[in-house]
Every structure is written in structure tokens, then in C-alpha cells.
Amino acid sequence: MHKPLDPDAFFRSLPSEILLDPAGYPPEFLRGLLRAGAARALFGPGSTARGNLEIVRAAGYQSVELALSLGITVSLFTDPVRRFAPDLWRARLEEGFLAGGWLGGMMITEPGCGTDLMACQTEYRVDADGPGLRGTKHWAGLTDLADCWLVLARDGQAGKGYRFPSLNFYICRATPESFALLKRYGPAGLRSIPYGLTRIAAREGILAPLLSGSKTDRFRQIHSILHRSRISISAITCGACARIADDIGRHVRTRAVFGKTLASYGQAQARMAEIEAAREIARVLHEVGCREAEAADAPGSAGVPAQIANIAKVVATDLAFAAATSASQLLGGESYRTDTYIGRATADLRPFRIFEGSNDVLCDAIWQAAEKAAKTGGESFADAVRGACAAADRPAPSIAAFAAGSVDGALPQGLRCLGGRILANAAVLRWCVERGLPRPALQPLLARIARDLGSAETGSACAGLVEY
Ligand SMILES: Cc1cc2nc3c(=O)[nH]c(=O)nc-3n(C[C@H](O)[C@H](O)[C@H](O)COP(=O)(O)OP(=O)(O)OC[C@H]3O[C@@H](n4cnc5c(N)ncnc54)[C@H](O)[C@@H]3O)c2cc1C
């Protein structure tokens, strides 16, 4: 009988001096891991959505970079290919990932196209020499390292379609000729993951288009891949928040300043309370993510609901970054070392609020989706916020700014983003209350809702999100 793998034990057994090497771990270390143990289980025929998310979470406890490398390979390559092109997966790719330590990634972003996918200029065209892909991409995780790519491109034959181009992902094998590295970027964090600028001029390596159906169907499928991937982001932040809380908890209990432990100072206790709460909330978000990903794998499912994926991603990444920043403050000078987990965490977790959908943009999307749902009988903004506060035994806050700020029923865009983040924190507050989280663990969510409602009241029509 096959013994089920314990991902926590597997990743705990990895040498921390390699994982926390200031220069980053070598690519061969990552490939070796993928050929063995828990990591190999990610691609096996018996892998499950929950099992894979648990692997990524457990990796995140040891190294954000390692978890993100696994997350990129699984969420941005193997999962979509297994789902949308299962025959090609089995015939051409499965063995490489199962036994060869292969890595996969996704190239969407271009120098002129990030948030706005419609501006994608990379082109797929079939001519006398067969299919070809041409374009320039940047910021793809595992640049110049991955063996396979999903490349977002517009279909040149389908015409310009400027406002709504015919987009698809193309499954490609990487060769130095087809994916030429033009420039390696010097990233501020995530030291083991290569990033850069790539020129694509591919021919033989193009295995197939990933998606089928109409232009609109494919657009929906592209988004459903990205929604699913956002769930994996909350698994990584769950591991990261737990590690930050454990490391900094040990530190404040043992570090003496002016003859007393740090843990005895009120300010340190306030920071610790927020970090502990982040751990608890991240755990709830991870559980919600596992449940939604499992449901999305059921036959006939349309995928992870956009609103849930966006809410989980925004709140998980905001809280994890805040926890890392707070832990750095408590750790003092030692937090500036790149050979410690907390020392790396602030830089490593910062871009989580930018990639996989910039949080500001997702907040706007959350607002707009809620507004649309309210028009067809769904909960209003006021009910959602007041309902969440009531569930946490708090008095109803004023939401007047959101009524006063609207001109002809339409809110200024900055206020929409602010409202979207309030809705996101309110939704997560409800999930946490439903799962019985204790009062102190709800505090960061209540504080953020109060703060954002306050800035809507005091701000002008251009009030928007303010980072912390
Ligand atoms: C570490 C890292 C890893 C990445 N990994 C990948 C990868 O694997 N594959 C890949 O394809 N890409 C990847 N990216 C790219 C990333 O997805 C993009 O940087 C992101 O989508 C934003 O695009 P952009 O940089 O072009 O910024 P822009 O589109 O110019 O947006 C910049 C900022 O403008 C603001 N903004 C834009 N539109 C709006 C709006 N409507 N409302 C409010 N604010 C708005 C937001 O604050 C946004 O962050 C990665 C980036 C980083 C930093």
C-alpha cells in the first residue's frame, strides 16, 4: 500500500541553508525536488486540488520562493494543460513532469500589456511553414528556466479585433532559439526565481492551442485559469503567515530589551496580535480555497467563482505583507538579513499584491461584481458591510460616503476600489465568524473596514485605496 505523503514533513526535511541562501537555491535543487517525494505528487494521476494546495502551503512555510516556483508550475502550466488538453498532456508532457524534473510557466505580461490583457501584441499565425508565435514577454516566473510555457497570444489570422482580440494560450516546449532571453531582471526579492525579458520566435515547439470555443468562451476560460491560480496564492500566504508567526513568536519570547522580554511590551503585543490573527485568517482563506478548488474540479463546474478568488487573493496577500512588515519591525536589525525567513519575507511577499491581478484592480472588480449582483437581487454594499459587522457583534458603521459619492448612480473609480476592499474584508470577516475564529483574530479585518470607511468619509470624490 502506498503511504500518503506528509508534505509538512517532506519540506521540513529540506536544508534551510539552501532554501535561505542569499543567492537563491540553484535550479538543479528545484529540479531534484520535483523528481522526488511530495513535489512529484503534484503531477501524478492521483493528485487532487486539495492535496496540491496542501503541498504548496507546506512549501510556503519553508520558503516563499520554493512555494511560488511549485505554484507557477502547477497553477500556470500543468493544471490548465491537464484540464483543457488531457490527451496532449499524457502523450507529450506527463513523463517529463513526473520523472524529468520539468518546470512550466505562463507568459502573459508584455512591456506594453500587463493589467490590460486586450493589449496583448504577441501573435500566433499559420503560414506556409506552419504555425508560428512572435512577440516579446516579460516578468514570467522561471524565465529562461522553464521547459514548457503557456503563451498568451492573439490569433493573427482572426484579424486585429483591437478592442476584443481573439486570444488563446499556446502550449510550447522551450528552446533557446524559440525563447531568447534579452535581459535578466534584478528582482527586489524572490531571489531563486529568474525573471526577465524574452523574445519569442517559435516554430516547432508549438504543441497546440490550449483552449477551444468562441472568442468569448476562450476569454472566460483564460479568466477561469487565473481565478484558480489565485487560490494557490492564498495557500502560499497561509504557509508564510504561519512561519512568520512562529519565528517572531519565538523571538519576542526570548529577546530581552531593557531587562524585559519584548513580549512584555504593549506595542510588541499589538504587533504580535495582528500577526497571530493573520495566521488564523490565512488558515480560513486556505480552507475556503481548498473547498472551492475541489468543487471546481467536479464535472460540469464553471471553475472557482471569480468573486471568491479575488476576495481571497486580495485579503490573503494584504495580510501576509502586513504580517511580514510588522515582524520585521519586531525583529529589528536582524530583519535586514537575506538569510532569514522574515528577512526575505517583506521583499518576497510584496509582489504578491501585484501579480495574478493587481490588488487595486481586483478591488475595483470586486466592487463592480457586487454592484451587478445587487441589481439582480443580491446583497447591497450596505447589507454586506453591516451584516459582517453584526456577525462579529459590532455596531453598524456609517456607509454614507458610498451613497453621497455616487454621481448618477456611478461611484468615482477610486471610491469603487476602496469599496471593493471593504467588501473583501467584510466577506472574509463573515467566513471567519462562521468558522468560529475568536474575537482577537477578527480585529485586523474590523480595523481595516473601519479605516477604509473612515477614509471614504474624510476623502473627496477621488478617495481611493491607501496602502499600509
Ligand atoms: C515578481 C513578479 C512575478 C510575476 N510573474 C508573472 C508571470 O509568471 N507571468 C506573467 O505573465 N506575468 C507575471 N508578472 C507580471 C504581473 O502580472 C504584472 O506586473 C501585473 O499584471 C501588472 O501589470 P504591469 O506591470 O504591466 O502594470 P500596469 O498594467 O501598468 O499596472 C500598474 C499598476 O497600475 C494600477 N492600475 C492599473 N489599472 C488599474 C485600474 N483599472 N484600477 C486601479 N488601478 C489600476 C495598479 O496599481 C497596477 O498595479 C509578474 C510580476 C512580478 C513583479
Side-chain angles (χ1 to χ4, degrees):
M1 237 305 263
H2 226 39
K3 211 171 145 234
L5 281 156
D6 174 352
D8 292 291
F10 176 80
F11 289 107
R12 211 169 28 242
S13 73
L14 302 179
S16 65
E17 65 279 9
I18 294 184
L19 292 176
L20 297 179
D21 184 331
Y25 51 71
E28 207 28 61
F29 173 76
L30 177 59
R31 290 192 188 280
L33 276 184
L34 286 167
R35 287 188 209 103
R40 194 167 180 266
L42 290 162
F43 316 117
S47 66
T48 62
R50 181 177 288 270
N52 280 4
L53 289 168
E54 287 297 349
I55 290 172
V56 170
R57 175 200 54 74
Y61 187 93
Q62 304 301 334
S63 159
V64 173
E65 292 148 82
L66 177 59
L68 186 59
S69 297
L70 301 180
I72 291 168
T73 295
V74 174
S75 303
L76 300 183
F77 189 82
T78 61
D79 263 1
V81 175
R82 288 170 74 183
R83 179 165 157 216
F84 291 103
D87 294 341
L88 183 133
W89 165 257
R90 279 189 294 273
R92 311 276 303 266
L93 299 168
E94 186 174 34
E95 190 54 25
F97 282 91
L98 273 176
W102 281 9
L103 295 161
M106 182 177 279
M107 290 187 165
I108 295 180
T109 311
E110 301 176 2
C113 141
T115 302
D116 179 9
L117 299 190
M118 299 295 191
C120 173
Q121 295 302 311
T122 298
E123 196 172 90
Y124 172 82
R125 207 175 256 280
V126 184
D127 60 21
D129 296 324
L133 261 180
R134 290 196 163 271
T136 305
K137 297 282 185 183
H138 73 161
W139 277 119
L142 306 174
T143 292
D144 203 33
L145 181 61
D147 305 272
C148 302
W149 290 105
L150 281 179
V151 178
L152 185 76
R154 53 172 67 215
D155 182 345
Q157 254 98 14
K160 273 211 166 300
Y162 176 72
R163 294 180 72 82
F164 190 3
S166 176
L167 294 174
N168 207 334
F169 281 119
Y170 295 88
I171 310 168
C172 299
R173 286 282 283 120
T175 63
E177 303 77 47
S178 52
F179 289 80
L181 179 70
L182 298 183
K183 186 176 172 54
R184 190 176 291 284
Y185 290 168
L190 300 170
R191 285 149 188 267
S192 313
I193 305 180
Y195 290 99
L197 180 69
T198 304
R199 188 180 50 233
I200 307 173
R203 281 283 187 192
E204 319 76 56
I206 308 168
L207 302 184
L210 180 72
L211 308 171
S212 54
S214 70
K215 195 157 87 165
T216 313
D217 288 343
R218 278 180 275 127
F219 194 66
R220 280 206 198 98
Q221 289 162 355
I222 289 167
H223 279 282
S224 101
I225 291 169
L226 298 178
H227 297 148
R228 173 67 186 268
S229 174
R230 285 175 196 150
I231 297 296
S232 155
I233 296 290
S234 77
I236 300 172
T237 56
C238 179
C241 286
R243 174 65 179 266
I244 291 168
D246 283 350
D247 282 9
I248 204 64
R250 247 190 325 273
H251 177 74
V252 298
R253 284 192 300 276
T254 52
R255 174 74 175 167
V257 184
F258 295 118
K260 297 195 303 186
T261 62
L262 255 187
S264 61
Y265 289 93
Q267 174 60 24
Q269 288 163 7
R271 288 197 183 278
M272 279 308 299
E274 188 177 36
I275 293 167
E276 278 298 340
R279 179 215 297 266
E280 302 280 321
I281 299 164
R283 189 80 225 171
V284 168
L285 289 171
H286 175 55
E287 182 48 39
V288 169
C290 286
R291 196 194 59 205
E292 293 296 336
E294 277 176 325
D297 277 355
S301 164
V304 174
Q307 192 74 334
I308 293 182
N310 294 348
I311 287 171
K313 195 269 180 178
V314 165
V315 177
T317 55
D318 273 357
L319 282 176
F321 181 70
T325 309
S326 226
S328 301
Q329 188 67 37
L330 288 171
L331 197 56
E334 290 294 286
S335 71
Y336 211 57
R337 287 173 51 174
T338 53
D339 56 352
T340 65
Y341 191 97
I342 290 176
R344 291 158 95 105
T346 312
D348 287 352
L349 291 167
R350 184 156 61 85
F352 278 61
R353 298 186 308 169
I354 295 169
F355 56 60
E356 295 285 335
S358 170
N359 283 10
D360 283 9
V361 179
L362 294 183
C363 285
D364 194 358
I366 291 165
W367 172 272
Q368 296 196 53
E371 192 176 45
K372 199 167 154 202
K375 283 186 183 141
T376 53
E379 204 175 31
S380 67
F381 176 74
D383 288 345
V385 177
R386 290 186 177 142
C389 291
D393 278 334
R394 294 298 167 102
S398 163
I399 51 107
F402 286 90
S406 73
V407 181
D408 299 334
L411 278 190
Q413 201 255 348
L415 209 49
R416 274 193 338 233
C417 291
L418 194 54
R421 188 155 76 183
I422 294 168
L423 283 171
N425 283 308
V428 176
L429 178 60
R430 269 188 174 165
W431 298 343
C432 290
V433 171
E434 281 160 19
R435 283 161 184 79
L437 248 59
R439 255 183 113 83
L442 307 176
Q443 193 49 38
L445 299 168
L446 286 160
R448 281 165 172 75
I449 292 169
R451 179 205 55 202
D452 290 345
L453 285 168
S455 54
E457 296 263 338
T458 52
S460 60
C462 66
L465 291 168
V466 181
E467 293 302 347
Y468 45 91

